[in-house]
PDB file of all heavy atoms in Angstrom:
ATOM      1  N   ALA A 203      -3.144   8.740 -11.916  1.00 92.00           N
ATOM      2  CA  ALA A 203      -2.452   7.468 -11.686  1.00 92.00           C
ATOM      3  C   ALA A 203      -2.494   7.075 -10.221  1.00 92.00           C
ATOM      4  O   ALA A 203      -2.661   5.898  -9.881  1.00 92.00           O
ATOM      5  CB  ALA A 203      -1.004   7.579 -12.173  1.00 92.00           C
ATOM      6  N   ILE A 204      -2.337   8.054  -9.333  1.00 92.00           N
ATOM      7  CA  ILE A 204      -2.389   7.769  -7.895  1.00 92.00           C
ATOM      8  C   ILE A 204      -3.760   7.227  -7.505  1.00 92.00           C
ATOM      9  O   ILE A 204      -3.884   6.201  -6.839  1.00 92.00           O
ATOM     10  CB  ILE A 204      -2.054   9.039  -7.095  1.00 92.00           C
ATOM     11  CG1 ILE A 204      -0.575   9.381  -7.241  1.00 92.00           C
ATOM     12  CG2 ILE A 204      -2.406   8.859  -5.611  1.00 92.00           C
ATOM     13  CD1 ILE A 204      -0.196  10.720  -6.651  1.00 92.00           C
ATOM     14  N   VAL A 205      -4.816   7.914  -7.931  1.00 91.00           N
ATOM     15  CA  VAL A 205      -6.167   7.517  -7.541  1.00 91.00           C
ATOM     16  C   VAL A 205      -6.568   6.214  -8.228  1.00 91.00           C
ATOM     17  O   VAL A 205      -7.221   5.352  -7.627  1.00 91.00           O
ATOM     18  CB  VAL A 205      -7.170   8.641  -7.858  1.00 91.00           C
ATOM     19  CG1 VAL A 205      -8.578   8.220  -7.482  1.00 91.00           C
ATOM     20  CG2 VAL A 205      -6.788   9.909  -7.111  1.00 91.00           C
ATOM     21  N   ALA A 206      -6.163   6.022  -9.480  1.00 90.00           N
ATOM     22  CA  ALA A 206      -6.513   4.797 -10.198  1.00 90.00           C
ATOM     23  C   ALA A 206      -5.882   3.572  -9.561  1.00 90.00           C
ATOM     24  O   ALA A 206      -6.445   2.472  -9.614  1.00 90.00           O
ATOM     25  CB  ALA A 206      -6.094   4.909 -11.662  1.00 90.00           C
ATOM     26  N   SER A 207      -4.730   3.755  -8.941  1.00 86.00           N
ATOM     27  CA  SER A 207      -4.025   2.612  -8.340  1.00 86.00           C
ATOM     28  C   SER A 207      -4.550   2.244  -6.964  1.00 86.00           C
ATOM     29  O   SER A 207      -4.165   1.208  -6.419  1.00 86.00           O
ATOM     30  CB  SER A 207      -2.533   2.935  -8.238  1.00 86.00           C
ATOM     31  OG  SER A 207      -2.302   3.969  -7.285  1.00 86.00           O
ATOM     32  N   MET A 208      -5.402   3.070  -6.405  1.00 83.00           N
ATOM     33  CA  MET A 208      -5.841   2.847  -5.034  1.00 83.00           C
ATOM     34  C   MET A 208      -6.870   1.741  -4.932  1.00 83.00           C
ATOM     35  O   MET A 208      -7.758   1.617  -5.771  1.00 83.00           O
ATOM     36  CB  MET A 208      -6.409   4.150  -4.457  1.00 83.00           C
ATOM     37  CG  MET A 208      -5.351   5.210  -4.236  1.00 83.00           C
ATOM     38  SD  MET A 208      -6.052   6.804  -3.784  1.00 83.00           S
ATOM     39  CE  MET A 208      -7.032   6.331  -2.361  1.00 83.00           C
ATOM     40  N   LYS A 209      -6.734   0.954  -3.900  1.00 74.00           N
ATOM     41  CA  LYS A 209      -7.687  -0.111  -3.593  1.00 74.00           C
ATOM     42  C   LYS A 209      -8.448   0.279  -2.331  1.00 74.00           C
ATOM     43  O   LYS A 209      -8.155   1.256  -1.679  1.00 74.00           O
ATOM     44  CB  LYS A 209      -6.960  -1.443  -3.377  1.00 74.00           C
ATOM     45  CG  LYS A 209      -6.009  -1.812  -4.505  1.00 74.00           C
ATOM     46  CD  LYS A 209      -6.730  -1.983  -5.817  1.00 74.00           C
ATOM     47  CE  LYS A 209      -5.750  -2.383  -6.914  1.00 74.00           C
ATOM     48  NZ  LYS A 209      -6.416  -2.465  -8.229  1.00 74.00           N
ATOM     49  N   GLY A 210      -9.432  -0.525  -2.004  1.00 59.00           N
ATOM     50  CA  GLY A 210     -10.169  -0.257  -0.762  1.00 59.00           C
ATOM     51  C   GLY A 210     -11.529   0.330  -1.033  1.00 59.00           C
ATOM     52  O   GLY A 210     -12.188  -0.019  -2.015  1.00 59.00           O
ATOM     53  N   PRO A 211     -11.988   1.262  -0.182  1.00 54.00           N
ATOM     54  CA  PRO A 211     -13.350   1.792  -0.292  1.00 54.00           C
ATOM     55  C   PRO A 211     -13.608   2.411  -1.664  1.00 54.00           C
ATOM     56  O   PRO A 211     -12.731   3.042  -2.259  1.00 54.00           O
ATOM     57  CB  PRO A 211     -13.391   2.869   0.811  1.00 54.00           C
ATOM     58  CG  PRO A 211     -12.310   2.484   1.764  1.00 54.00           C
ATOM     59  CD  PRO A 211     -11.241   1.851   0.944  1.00 54.00           C
TER      60      PRO A 211
END
Side-chain angles (χ1 to χ4, degrees):
I204 289 172
V205 179
S207 68
M208 291 172 55
K209 308 298 181 184

